[in-house]
Amino acid sequence: MLRVGLTGGIGSGKSTVARRLVERGAVLVDSDVVAREVVEPGTDGLAEVVAAFGRTVLTPGGELDRAALASVVFGDPAARDRLNAIVHPRVRRRSDELIAAAAPDAVVVQDIPLLVEGGMAALFPLVVVVHTDTEERVRRLVGQRGMPEADARARIAAQADDAARRAVADVWLDNSGAPTDLQATVDALWDARLVPFEENLRRGRTVPAVPALVDPDPHWSAVAARLGARVSAAAGGRGVTHIGSTAVPGLPAEDVIDLQLGVESLTEADGFRDALAAAGLPARTDIDADAPKPAGTAPWPKRFHAGADPGQRVHLHVREIGSPGWRFALLLRDWLRAVPAAREDYLACKLRARAAAGGDPERYAAAKEPWFAAALPSADRWAVSSGWSPSLG
């Protein structure tokens, strides 16, 4: 199945997006609903809340008085942490139960208001953020929910800002227009991205590379950081590095984010193969080595995963730390960053390879190999003269 993290600030219209996704066929796990369920009367969750905060947080009928509880914890970080320690583990367990009950081919949307604040973005193969500007959100909270304006602004200010949400967003849905505009955008997301993403994951299918050069994109580094955090989470916190042409500012490149995951051994890497696939990166078993430089020596072993998300191409190269392939990927990146003439020469190689490949990605990759082998001595000399050492930055 495909798990999608859905979030957005209070008043952004996140619930509207969730409803439309359900209408299109998604399975919704709403964290707010689950959070209410785990503190219903008679639950151990409610009993623990009362033990921590007293019976003043109950209504006369014995239910949780959310307004009274909010007044206790809103301005008190320590109290909020105590509450979260009670509620969040129960929400996670119940959410896991609901997800496990979904069909194997489901698109499961987890509506999590505090996904960013809770540092949960890297746990999802795809994160959708619903955005509306602050003044419109205040207007909605006051006009539709009857919230005092000062309270609305305080609630908005207490949540993550737009920059923090953008940093984790694979999809940024702008809900500043008409409701029909939002519905059309959600429908397009469902049809063009979520449905094929789920099918790709279920079938272990990756999105093919396209040997088409595009202008440098200043967002590539941010995309790589987001994808790298996801890979690292799936791989037990191991380090992930942005490599390849998109890691070289100013260099036209194929619109593919290349990442390198360093491991102590490739056998170790096989242990989190399934976790990487669940994170959106199925293994490519047909690729198990890099062409050596120079040619004629033994291939450089690796593991290779690629993205199943049709909206974002990504290649993950898993190499042993200190191996020739691991070193070459870092050296090539840093040499191209530092030496303009090398960048220009590599771009000329790319253009020749693209012309020779006729749209075939394998022919395109093979056509570049002689340039890599020829460039390695120059890169090595630069490494010695500059005092270079492998950097994961």
Side-chain angles (χ1 to χ4, degrees), residues 216-217 219-222 224 241-254 256-260 329-330 332-338 343 346 350 392-393:
D217 187 336
H219 297 106
W220 277 334
S221 61
T241 310
H242 187 195
I243 59 169
S245 295
T246 58
V248 181
L251 179 64
E254 305 80 44
V256 178
I257 300 297
D258 280 281
L259 301 173
Q260 178 165 269
L330 299 174
L332 181 69
R333 179 200 64 186
D334 293 349
W335 178 56
L336 292 174
R337 284 176 174 177
R343 289 197 300 274
Y346 184 37
K350 285 171 170 282
L392 303 184

Side-chain angles (χ1 to χ4, degrees), residues 204-216:
R205 192 167 58 198
T206 63
V207 179
V210 178
L213 298 182
V214 299
D215 290 335

Side-chain angles (χ1 to χ4, degrees), residues 280-329:
L281 292 150
R284 284 278 302 273
T285 56
D286 57 322
I287 299 176
D288 61 3
D290 294 309
K293 291 98 180 152
T297 57
W300 294 347
K302 71 174 180 179
R303 300 290 184 266
F304 183 69
H305 294 248
D309 177 6
Q312 176 62 65
R313 288 178 172 83
V314 54
H315 292 165
L316 175 65
H317 310 262
V318 185
R319 300 183 174 108
E320 291 186 359
I321 297 170
S323 67
W326 177 87
R327 177 185 181 276
F328 179 76

Side-chain angles (χ1 to χ4, degrees), residues 65-155:
D65 186 332
R66 296 185 176 279
L69 181 60
S71 68
V72 173
V73 305
F74 184 72
D76 185 341
R80 188 163 61 247
D81 288 344
R82 288 200 303 276
L83 177 62
N84 290 342
I86 296 169
V87 175
H88 287 182
R90 290 174 168 83
V91 170
R92 284 195 292 270
R93 286 195 295 270
R94 179 56 180 153
S95 296
D96 288 345
E97 293 172 357
L98 295 171
I99 293 166
D105 62 349
V107 175
V108 177
V109 175
Q110 292 182 246
D111 182 339
I112 306 176
L114 300 182
L115 182 147
V116 177
E117 293 85 345
M120 293 176 275
L123 304 179
F124 293 91
L126 193 81
V127 172
V128 177
V129 174
V130 184
H131 168 73
T132 304
D133 67 72
T134 298
E135 293 308 313
E136 175 62 17
R137 291 163 63 194
V138 170
R139 188 190 67 78
R140 291 176 185 175
L141 293 172
V142 172
Q144 298 174 13
R145 302 193 193 181
M147 188 179 294
E149 181 176 338
D151 289 353
R153 293 189 183 279
R155 293 283 296 275

